[in-house]
Amino acid sequence: MNPRTDPAEDVLLQHPWRPVTIDGCQLLVKSWFGETAYRILLTDMQCVWEERMDAVAIESRAQGLNRRLRASVRAFFSHLCEVAQPCLTGGGRTGDEAQISVRRWEDGNITLRLKSELAGLPFYWEFHCSPAPVALVCVQLVRPLLAMSRLLQRQVEHLEDLLVRKDEEIQDYRENGATLSRERLQTDIFDKQPYAEDFIEKTLPLLWSEPSDALGFNADLQQLHATIVAYRSARKRKWPEETGAEQNQLSPEPSAQTLTPDGDDPTRDEGNQNSSKQVEPSRARRPAAHTKQPAPITTCPVERPTSKPKKKKVGLFK
Amino acid sequence: MNPRTDPAEDVLLQHPWRPVTIDGCQLLVKSWFGETAYRILLTDMQCVWEERMDAVAIESRAQGLNRRLRASVRAFFSHLCEVAQPCLTGGGRTGDEAQISVRRWEDGNITLRLKSELAGLPFYWEFHCSPAPVALVCVQLVRPLLAMSRLLQRQVEHLEDLLVRKDEEIQDYRENGATLSRERLQTDIFDKQPYAEDFIEKTLPLLWSEPSDALGFNADLQQLHATIVAYRSARKRKWPEETGAEQNQLSPEPSAQTLTPDGDDPTRDEGNQNSSKQVEPSRARRPAAHTKQPAPITTCPVERPTSKPKKKKVGLFK
């Protein structure tokens, strides 16, 4: 899956993760509602689920769930937005009008069920969410979280440098005979290494023992996430040619999907060329996931002789 | 999938993500080699792949790839460990002895191919890695990264507080007439909000323009990751009864897999009880991923009447 091929993808990327409690379940939710289409992405930090629906799919489900209701897909969708969006953005429920519940299925999917009223009749909707593709989880969570850690780590380093400079200033005053009028204002000399060790030792237990809001993704971190994602998206729009440079760094482009599989390992001999066709026990036990019409391994191009196989493959991951 | 049911899971969780360049591809790798079993987990931050192999699967693949080689699975595995581990831990290649290449398939899988020699004959191995289940990505990357961000964010706040105290001390010296012997030692008063905005503005561009090692997961962050994961694992071993408390916070236990699906939305009327059986268009287009023998929706228990549905579901996500 290449998330970048979906125009809704970037829209969703720039949406914040909103902490929402639905039916007693703490979740982080991203949602996007278009004209007669939507996408939602949910996580409880144990799993990430998504659903993408277009007008046809919405109409079909709407009819199945609301047999007595006669409304155009537009009218239906408009009401759905009205009642679902407050639930999915943490904006609170719309009072008694909308009720929402969560059901988790054995196959790993979850369903959010919504009940409201439309034109005096019961109005039902269900969001059927499946585990999201790993690539999407990388785009929406892993890479932004890593960028956040990198940024915060740099900030820690920068603040530590500032503290060292403050100490140099204080030291100079003292050496010139200055004294404090209030003893309690005196600070200890900042020593980076012992400080960091002590800080981590004292803070780690608190991370798990203190109550945390939003599954630990608190408001400051949400803000930082939004800032980082917005910056990166803006930068890509402004300098799309930079993409190549970025690919070597934080978040390489998923360019591989546009490539046919290569391989061409010159170290392989004739006797092993058919090895990729063998039944692979571990794969048989756990089916490969997130594969849309996967190309059977046997349909991959036969290996071509080449003297520089490595150069050919650099583009796959960079 | 419940990663905690697999004893190798915790072992792998406590292994660091090691930056490895294989065949020109930058990857982060976790690997665990047992007696005649292994697990590997790879990411290029676009996707996460894994393979789990036991003795039977290893023997079968070994025979397919090495028809001329006659060796016990133990001897074979021992040699595999010897040649593969340096490649997978960033310990460098074993010279000309082992060659490793990467092939990416259209279905999203990747294969690492290894060639070496055993008893004078060519020795081949292939790691067939499939996209990892999202739950595993949450355990191995998302939750630790979020914990890292939380810890670093607290550290930033703590350092900011220290800077404010340093300024109070400096202010007191100055008010008592102290002067600096060297002008260059004078620092600006630390003002949290403008500082943070300025820092982010200046640092964000650097995050993507400077070369970064290990896909941005640099040595300090790896260290922090290891510290956090080790601490949490130790705490769980020491106070397993705390698990419940933790579930409400950073990383809830994946307890849902042990539960049968519930639901029981009292807001649903008779006419809608069969709605969960309908064909769901978006699901049909993109198959649900990472589902081992998914329970068909139609096999889920029929809805039971209940007056307190919310209480029943709290355990699902907490």
Side-chain angles (χ1 to χ4, degrees):
Chain A
M1 203 203 105
N2 184 347
R4 291 188 190 287
T5 59
D6 182 348
E9 195 70 40
D10 271 331
V11 176
L12 209 53
L13 184 59
Q14 288 176 64
H15 278 231
W17 281 102
R18 292 190 185 275
V20 174
T21 301
I22 297 177
D23 196 12
C25 303
Q26 255 199 304
L27 296 167
L28 295 170
V29 180
K30 282 190 177 207
S31 59
W32 168 84
F33 286 81
E35 268 200 42
T36 47
Y38 70 76
R39 278 201 54 200
I40 64 169
L41 200 58
L42 316 168
T43 181
D44 63 352
M45 291 290 164
Q46 284 178 52
C47 191
V48 185
W49 300 268
E50 68 152 355
E51 185 180 46
R52 305 171 188 223
M53 290 287 272
D54 59 17
V56 175
I58 289 167
E59 188 165 23
S60 161
R61 189 181 299 166
Q63 285 169 355
L65 290 172
N66 302 277
R67 294 187 182 168
R68 292 167 61 202
L69 206 62
R70 296 282 171 269
S72 70
V73 67
R74 252 175 212 285
F76 187 94
F77 190 73
S78 163
H79 184 69
L80 176 62
C81 291
E82 202 178 304
V83 295
Q85 277 185 315
C87 301
L88 298 176
T89 54
R93 294 183 185 190
T94 53
D96 288 337
E97 289 170 34
Q99 293 166 305
I100 191 161
S101 64
V102 180
R103 177 187 277 205
R104 187 158 178 171
W105 302 95
E106 272 182 346
D107 61 4
N109 296 336
I110 63 168
T111 301
L112 305 188
R113 285 179 172 176
L114 191 74
K115 185 188 177 184
S116 171
E117 275 197 11
L118 179 56
L121 288 172
F123 167 100
Y124 296 101
W125 187 250
E126 292 182 354
F127 296 93
H128 296 173
C129 304
S130 311
V134 175
L136 185 65
V137 176
C138 287
V139 168
Q140 298 279 354
L141 275 172
V142 174
R143 272 144 53 179
L145 281 171
L146 181 57
M148 286 160 66
S149 289
R150 288 175 68 198
L151 190 79
L152 288 165
Q153 185 201 27
R154 282 186 180 230
Q155 198 170 359
V156 163
E157 287 164 2
H158 194 247
L159 291 168
E160 286 172 343
D161 290 345
L162 284 183
L163 279 162
V164 169
R165 288 178 50 210
K166 293 282 179 200
D167 273 339
E168 286 169 355
E169 184 175 352
I170 288 168
Q171 184 70 11
D172 191 77
Y173 289 125
R174 286 188 189 160
E175 283 171 3
N176 290 308
T179 51
L180 285 168
S181 64
R182 288 166 290 175
E183 191 81 13
R184 64 169 182 81
L185 292 178
Q186 188 164 335
T187 59
D188 295 328
I189 291 175
F190 180 76
D191 194 353
K192 183 176 166 174
Q193 195 58 30
Y195 161 78
E197 285 165 11
D198 184 60
F199 177 82
I200 287 174
E201 193 183 325
K202 284 183 180 151
T203 310
L204 268 179
L206 303 179
L207 278 191
W208 283 281
S209 62
E210 285 179 2
S212 71
D213 53 345
L215 299 164
F217 209 154
N218 61 37
D220 286 345
L221 291 180
Q222 285 167 40
Q223 177 60 43
L224 187 59
H225 178 279
T227 305
I228 284 176
V229 165
Y231 172 82
R232 184 137 186 275
S233 299
R235 189 177 170 101
K236 281 201 162 182
R237 278 194 300 275
K238 207 169 173 184
W239 295 294
E241 70 277 9
E242 273 191 3
T243 305
E246 289 184 18
Q247 283 172 357
N248 287 328
Q249 295 167 29
L250 183 69
S251 44
E253 294 306 296
S255 57
Q257 285 78 0
T258 60
L259 297 172
T260 53
D262 68 1
D264 315 13
D265 180 354
T267 65
R268 302 294 303 275
D269 65 14
E270 284 289 323
N272 281 288
Q273 284 198 359
N274 64 347
S275 61
S276 61
K277 296 174 189 170
Q278 71 178 342
V279 175
E280 199 272 85
S282 75
R283 188 176 294 161
R285 277 183 285 124
R286 197 176 55 74
H290 305 316
T291 52
K292 289 185 195 169
Q293 302 173 324
I297 289 179
T298 49
T299 66
C300 288
V302 290
E303 301 187 359
R304 305 179 297 275
T306 169
S307 58
K308 288 183 177 177
K310 285 174 192 169
K311 278 204 170 175
K312 292 179 63 186
K313 288 176 211 157
V314 167
L316 283 180
F317 288 86
K318 285 191 172 178
Chain B
M1 201 203 111
N2 184 347
R4 291 189 190 285
T5 58
D6 181 349
E9 196 70 42
D10 271 332
V11 177
L12 209 54
L13 184 60
Q14 288 176 66
H15 278 232
W17 281 103
R18 292 190 185 274
V20 174
T21 301
I22 296 176
D23 197 12
C25 303
Q26 257 199 302
L27 296 167
L28 295 170
V29 180
K30 282 189 176 205
S31 58
W32 168 84
F33 287 81
E35 267 200 46
T36 47
Y38 70 76
R39 280 201 54 199
I40 63 169
L41 200 57
L42 316 169
T43 180
D44 63 352
M45 292 289 162
Q46 284 178 51
C47 191
V48 185
W49 300 269
E50 69 152 355
E51 186 180 43
R52 303 172 188 223
M53 291 286 273
D54 59 18
V56 175
I58 289 168
E59 187 165 22
S60 162
R61 188 182 299 167
Q63 285 169 355
L65 291 172
N66 302 276
R67 292 183 182 171
R68 291 167 62 200
L69 207 61
R70 295 282 172 271
S72 70
V73 66
R74 254 176 210 285
F76 187 94
F77 190 74
S78 163
H79 183 68
L80 176 63
C81 291
E82 202 178 304
V83 295
Q85 276 185 314
C87 301
L88 297 177
T89 54
R93 295 182 183 190
T94 54
D96 287 337
E97 289 169 36
Q99 293 166 304
I100 191 161
S101 63
V102 180
R103 177 187 277 206
R104 187 157 178 172
W105 302 93
E106 272 183 346
D107 61 5
N109 295 337
I110 63 168
T111 301
L112 305 188
R113 284 179 172 177
L114 192 74
K115 185 189 176 184
S116 171
E117 276 197 9
L118 179 57
L121 288 172
F123 168 100
Y124 297 100
W125 187 252
E126 292 181 354
F127 297 92
H128 296 174
C129 304
S130 311
V134 175
L136 186 64
V137 177
C138 287
V139 168
Q140 297 280 353
L141 275 172
V142 174
R143 272 144 52 180
L145 281 170
L146 181 57
M148 287 160 65
S149 289
R150 287 175 68 196
L151 190 78
L152 288 166
Q153 185 202 26
R154 284 187 177 229
Q155 199 168 358
V156 162
E157 287 164 3
H158 194 247
L159 291 168
E160 286 172 342
D161 290 345
L162 284 183
L163 278 163
V164 169
R165 287 179 50 209
K166 293 280 177 199
D167 274 338
E168 286 170 355
E169 183 174 353
I170 288 169
Q171 184 69 11
D172 192 77
Y173 288 126
R174 284 189 188 158
E175 282 172 3
N176 289 308
T179 53
L180 286 168
S181 64
R182 287 166 293 175
E183 190 82 13
R184 64 170 180 81
L185 292 178
Q186 187 166 337
T187 59
D188 295 329
I189 290 175
F190 179 76
D191 195 352
K192 184 176 166 174
Q193 194 59 31
Y195 161 78
E197 285 165 11
D198 185 60
F199 178 82
I200 287 175
E201 193 183 325
K202 285 183 179 152
T203 310
L204 268 179
L206 303 178
L207 278 191
W208 282 281
S209 62
E210 286 179 1
S212 71
D213 54 345
L215 298 164
F217 209 152
N218 62 37
D220 286 346
L221 291 180
Q222 285 167 40
Q223 177 60 45
L224 187 59
H225 178 279
T227 305
I228 285 176
V229 165
Y231 173 83
R232 184 137 186 274
S233 299
R235 190 177 169 102
K236 283 202 160 180
R237 279 193 300 275
K238 208 167 170 184
W239 295 294
E241 69 278 9
E242 274 191 3
T243 306
E246 290 183 19
Q247 283 171 358
N248 288 328
Q249 295 169 29
L250 182 69
S251 44
E253 294 307 296
S255 58
Q257 284 78 2
T258 60
L259 298 172
T260 53
D262 68 1
D264 314 11
D265 181 353
T267 65
R268 302 295 303 274
D269 66 15
E270 285 288 324
N272 281 288
Q273 284 198 0
N274 63 347
S275 61
S276 62
K277 295 176 189 170
Q278 72 178 341
V279 176
E280 199 271 83
S282 74
R283 188 177 294 163
R285 276 184 286 123
R286 197 176 54 73
H290 303 317
T291 52
K292 288 184 197 171
Q293 302 173 324
I297 288 178
T298 49
T299 68
C300 288
V302 290
E303 301 186 359
R304 305 179 297 273
T306 170
S307 59
K308 288 185 178 178
K310 285 174 195 169
K311 275 204 173 175
K312 292 179 63 187
K313 288 176 211 157
V314 168
L316 283 180
F317 289 86
K318 284 192 172 177

